[in-house]
Amino acid sequence: MYYPNNIEEICYDQDHIEKVWDEMKQVIPTYFQQYIDTEGGNSIQESEIEKLAVKFGSTCKPKSKPKDTKKILERLLKESIKHYEKERLDYQDILHLESLEKEYKKDVNSFKNTVLRNNIPIIRKTLQNKQAKELDKFRAAFNTAQAGQLFEVVSNLVQLANKLRNEWYEENEFEEIETCYDLGYYELDGEAYTVYGVIGGGIKSHFIYKLFPEMYPNRSREAVWALYYLSSKKKFGCKEDSQFLMINAREGTTQQNYFYPYALFSFYAIRIYQQLKELYAKHGVSLPIEYRFVPVDSFLSFVARTHQSEIDDLKKKAESYHYEY
């Protein structure tokens, strides 16, 4: 398996994975409580309200209204599913095996320059985001990428995603997978499913997440940042700092590891789902299997946003470097 800038080999060791997970499972309940208290980041925690009251000279403790945790979680779940379904039809229509084979295969140049560029939301928005200087490399790579290769990789990805869904996936057994090896998503990290600089782990995972959220998690930038914080920023024996970061000491830049292997990410996502399922159940809320990784995506996004100021500070260094050179 070839994957440039891959993580250290120790990260694939199941004993190492279990050590990382032991840390995560201790931390997740704290963030989950914050997720509830702030209603997904949309309100201020009571502790913060008290700090503000003291700051402005109040000696009285602000009265807090009792919250209906079940209703909060039900609303957050409903909102996350609604957000997920937004623009999903675009992906389903374009990334349909029959559409790829009978329509887009006939004109790969149009597939690249019209369909991918204008009609696939994640690519369209990335290309149009001129404020984030770190995306300049993506725009350059997309413009120079061969149309035939882009079509072939997208077609390969959709075919494999459908094959695993139809021939391998078992709804009741999926959550019982105990090792990263048994999950077997390593093939998705291979060259046949990658156009380096254009279709990497983030975009390819978004594609298949929009098709089958019950078995493919979304390995977004926020999600990888979240794993860094859920693992308490620890190295766990890695020589090059956290496996979830990409640090360039010479350039003085730090970013989320956008080369992070999808197979490993997916295994951690399954574990996170299992714990979230238990936490939701304690408040009388059941997570829908058909949207298994949607609440996971929402939770990981929340975790990253709680550290947004720190992330922005790290990213500013990266943006400064790309701007100057």
Side-chain angles (χ1 to χ4, degrees):
M1 179 175 65
Y2 173 73
Y3 210 66
N5 299 337
N6 203 351
I7 58 175
E8 297 172 43
E9 286 299 317
I10 189 177
C11 299
Y12 291 101
D13 187 271
Q14 192 63 36
D15 289 338
H16 173 88
I17 292 172
E18 295 300 338
K19 290 177 182 178
V20 177
W21 173 244
D22 284 343
E23 182 68 29
M24 287 184 178
K25 72 181 180 183
Q26 299 299 320
V27 174
I28 287 174
T30 300
Y31 280 103
F32 186 73
Q33 188 59 52
Q34 293 177 13
Y35 187 64
I36 295 171
D37 293 342
T38 65
E39 300 186 28
N42 296 315
S43 64
I44 303 176
Q45 286 182 274
E46 287 183 20
S47 59
E48 295 301 317
I49 294 175
E50 291 179 18
K51 290 178 183 178
L52 287 172
V54 172
K55 179 179 179 180
F56 289 103
S58 175
T59 57
C60 299
K61 184 177 180 179
K63 293 183 179 180
S64 60
K65 297 180 180 179
K67 292 185 176 182
D68 189 326
T69 302
K70 181 179 180 181
K71 286 186 177 179
I72 290 173
L73 288 174
E74 287 177 335
R75 179 175 59 77
L76 290 174
L77 179 60
K78 182 178 179 180
E79 289 175 354
S80 65
I81 292 174
K82 182 179 179 181
H83 177 74
Y84 167 80
E85 286 292 344
K86 184 180 180 181
E87 300 179 326
R88 186 187 184 192
L89 188 59
D90 293 332
Y91 293 90
Q92 291 177 317
D93 287 346
I94 295 170
L95 303 177
H96 191 279
L97 286 173
E98 187 172 346
S99 298
L100 289 169
E101 187 64 27
K102 293 185 178 181
E103 183 177 354
Y104 302 127
K105 188 176 182 179
K106 298 176 181 177
D107 188 352
V108 293
N109 286 315
S110 177
F111 180 73
K112 172 191 173 181
N113 295 305
T114 300
V115 179
L116 290 182
R117 182 185 293 274
N118 301 323
N119 300 333
I120 290 288
I122 190 173
I123 292 182
R124 181 185 72 243
K125 293 174 183 178
T126 302
L127 290 172
Q128 293 176 353
N129 184 357
K130 300 299 175 63
Q131 294 181 342
K133 302 301 292 184
E134 70 267 25
L135 297 180
D136 286 348
K137 288 184 177 180
F138 174 85
R139 284 183 279 272
F142 182 87
N143 290 334
T144 58
Q146 296 181 359
Q149 184 189 19
L150 283 172
F151 174 81
E152 182 180 1
V153 165
V154 171
S155 180
N156 289 344
L157 178 64
V158 174
Q159 288 183 48
L160 180 58
N162 276 271
K163 181 180 180 180
L164 291 174
R165 178 63 180 81
N166 297 328
E167 300 178 9
W168 172 80
Y169 175 76
E170 292 289 343
E171 180 179 286
N172 296 325
E173 297 178 8
F174 185 75
E175 293 175 29
E176 304 305 318
I177 291 174
E178 296 183 354
T179 68
C180 188
Y181 177 81
D182 290 337
L183 177 61
Y185 279 3
Y186 294 108
E187 190 173 357
L188 287 162
D189 288 320
E191 287 188 338
Y193 310 95
T194 304
V195 179
Y196 297 111
V198 183
I199 300 179
I203 286 182
K204 77 170 70 171
S205 76
H206 193 77
F207 281 9
I208 57 182
Y209 169 66
K210 283 294 187 178
L211 295 178
F212 306 114
E214 69 275 25
M215 65 180 293
Y216 299 117
N218 185 30
R219 204 223 68 180
S220 66
R221 281 178 287 179
E222 285 187 331
V224 180
W225 275 114
L227 294 191
Y228 171 61
Y229 290 105
L230 290 178
S231 59
S232 302
K233 309 186 209 179
K234 294 182 179 180
K235 295 171 64 173
F236 299 97
C238 292
K239 297 178 181 179
E240 299 179 5
D241 213 285
S242 171
Q243 61 189 290
F244 304 111
L245 295 186
M246 183 173 291
I247 299 174
N248 188 320
R250 182 179 63 84
E251 298 177 0
T253 61
T254 301
Q255 302 180 57
Q256 54 86 22
N257 187 359
Y258 46 78
F259 289 110
Y260 197 79
Y262 187 63
L264 268 177
F265 173 83
S266 297
F267 184 72
Y268 284 120
I270 291 175
R271 289 282 182 89
I272 292 170
Y273 169 79
Q274 292 169 333
Q275 189 167 10
L276 289 180
K277 182 179 178 181
E278 294 177 2
L279 292 169
Y280 270 86
K282 288 181 179 179
H283 299 287
V285 181
S286 298
L287 296 181
I289 293 177
E290 64 272 23
Y291 290 107
R292 178 179 281 118
F293 288 115
V294 172
V296 173
D297 189 59
S298 175
F299 176 71
L300 292 179
S301 178
F302 166 78
V303 172
R305 292 198 311 273
T306 62
H307 297 278
Q308 194 60 56
S309 60
E310 180 182 347
I311 291 172
D312 287 343
D313 286 341
L314 293 170
K315 289 173 65 177
K316 281 178 183 177
K317 294 179 182 179
E319 290 174 5
S320 174
Y321 174 83
H322 289 300
Y323 178 78
E324 292 174 4
Y325 297 95

